[in-house]
Amino acid sequence: MKLNSIGFSDPGLIRSNNQDAFYIDPEGRFFIVADGMGGHAGGEQASRIATEQIQAYLLANWGSSKSGQELLEGALWHANEAILHDQQNHSERADMGTTAVVVIFPPKDPPLCAHVGDSRLYRFRGSLLEQITEDHTWVAHALKMHEISPEQARIHPFRHVLSRCLGRDDLHTFDVQPLDVQAGDRFLLCSDGLTEELADDKIASYLQETPTLEKAAISLVDAAKEQGGHDNITVVIVSVE
């Protein structure tokens, strides 16, 4: 399976700093996007710790006997513990945390995704964009329970309230799921700085109408900024050849 990928991160038009982070493995084995929170320094630190620790754990255990699910769960637990440790040593960052969405293509198991928070994974196949992950937010839960409408969800004042994130000692589980992958698929990992500004049909149009990954990624970021760019915007696109 041959993969091509590209990633971009932009602070947007309102914030002076960028609390997002991403990592693309040079060998195409795994991809990470994280969106930090907890103040100017805290958010940057949390997302940086998450991406670095997930990367380090996956690299250290890639050739082990661990399954793909064990790799992903171990990497996220490792990142969570590292953020908690940093919180304990730096009281000014005690409330920091971060989302994370990770995709891996392990040598023995099928491709897998794990996530915590509201950074998302999408799959674009043919002309159909499908959200693979389910946001860990109060609003996503209320929408699933039909307590609010999709229109209400997009503008709800609690839409940024996370029910789960890295950097919490009460974090008990992650969502890990296998990925159905076919030639021609494009996978999009992104922070909510993209999805807050662009509806899914707009995201799909850019993925469909732009032939190169670089142009698609730049177009998505630019479009989010044109809609206001109220938050940091990060996109990673992975194409299956």
Side-chain angles (χ1 to χ4, degrees):
M1 182 183 302
K2 181 182 178 182
L3 304 174
N4 291 321
S5 60
I6 193 74
F8 283 105
S9 189
D10 191 284
L13 300 179
I14 305 299
R15 300 192 176 189
S16 60
N17 66 321
N18 193 344
Q19 298 184 55
D20 288 358
F22 74 91
Y23 181 79
I24 295 175
D25 175 52
E27 298 184 25
R29 295 169 294 183
F30 54 87
F31 307 86
I32 309 165
V33 165
D35 178 0
M37 66 211 75
H40 185 94
E44 287 187 10
Q45 183 76 350
S47 62
R48 180 191 64 81
I49 291 173
T51 53
E52 289 181 355
Q53 295 300 318
I54 291 169
Q55 171 197 352
Y57 185 92
L58 290 175
L59 289 175
N61 292 276
W62 195 258
S64 70
S65 60
K66 295 180 185 294
S67 67
Q69 178 158 342
E70 289 171 332
L71 281 174
L72 275 176
E73 290 180 343
L76 289 172
W77 285 123
H78 187 68
N80 191 59
E81 290 301 316
I83 296 170
L84 290 173
H85 181 74
D86 190 271
Q87 290 172 347
Q88 293 165 1
N89 292 327
H90 301 89
S91 58
E92 71 276 13
R93 297 198 290 264
D95 62 344
M96 72 176 178
T98 185
T99 70
V101 56
V102 188
V103 172
I104 67 170
F105 291 81
K108 299 177 182 178
D109 295 334
L112 293 161
C113 166
H115 83 288
V116 56
D118 61 356
S119 292
R120 293 179 180 176
L121 174 69
Y122 288 92
R123 179 179 57 224
F124 184 72
R125 176 179 293 169
S127 59
L128 177 64
L129 183 73
E130 180 182 1
Q131 182 179 333
I132 303 299
T133 55
E134 182 177 298
D135 295 349
H136 296 143
T137 61
W138 180 91
V139 163
H141 178 74
L143 185 60
K144 186 176 181 179
M145 301 303 294
H146 305 290
E147 296 172 359
I148 59 174
S149 69
E151 292 73 22
Q152 290 174 316
R154 286 197 63 82
I155 60 173
H156 200 285
F158 293 165
R159 66 188 182 279
H160 301 299
V161 177
L162 298 180
S163 57
R164 210 184 301 176
C165 69
L166 294 178
R168 298 293 179 265
D169 55 12
D170 60 352
L171 180 62
H172 301 301
T173 185
F174 310 109
D175 287 356
V176 179
Q177 56 186 313
L179 294 177
D180 174 24
V181 177
Q182 296 181 10
D185 287 349
R186 284 185 175 183
F187 288 92
L188 170 66
L189 297 81
C190 62
S191 63
D192 69 344
L194 179 75
T195 54
E196 275 289 297
E197 306 291 1
L198 299 180
D200 285 3
D201 61 337
K202 290 293 185 182
I203 294 174
S205 69
Y206 285 107
L207 291 174
Q208 184 167 27
E209 295 169 6
T210 47
T212 68
L213 295 190
E214 182 176 7
K215 186 175 180 181
I218 293 173
S219 296
L220 284 168
V221 171
D222 287 347
K225 291 168 70 175
E226 289 171 4
Q227 292 300 311
H230 296 91
D231 199 354
N232 309 144
I233 309 155
T234 299
V235 300
V236 169
I237 306 176
V238 183
S239 175
V240 183
E241 302 301 325

